[in-house]
Amino acid sequence: MSASTIGAAVGAVLALTWVAFGFWAFLFVGLAMLAGLGVARVVKGEIDLRGLAQALRGRRTSS
């Protein structure tokens, strides 16, 4: 799937959620999607949690 197709599908899901269930359900679904994206990137090894935690604590730079 291309990035455009995935983006259109995500947009459709969020729009239908807003129309069917309202703003708060839309917000919850959007946050759940972001959380799922973060978990997937950690599992794939694209995000180093230890390095991120150290950078947020100021113990090292993110570069």
Side-chain angles (χ1 to χ4, degrees), residues 15-60:
L16 288 172
T17 301
W18 189 320
V19 169
F21 303 111
F23 173 75
W24 294 110
F26 159 81
L27 190 64
F28 175 74
V29 170
L31 291 174
M33 287 178 158
L34 285 175
L37 175 66
V39 168
R41 287 191 174 186
V42 168
V43 169
K44 286 174 64 176
E46 294 177 8
I47 296 176
D48 176 25
L49 288 181
R50 288 185 191 143
L52 180 62
Q54 289 177 352
L56 290 173
R57 281 187 253 148
R59 296 188 179 193
R60 71 174 210 170

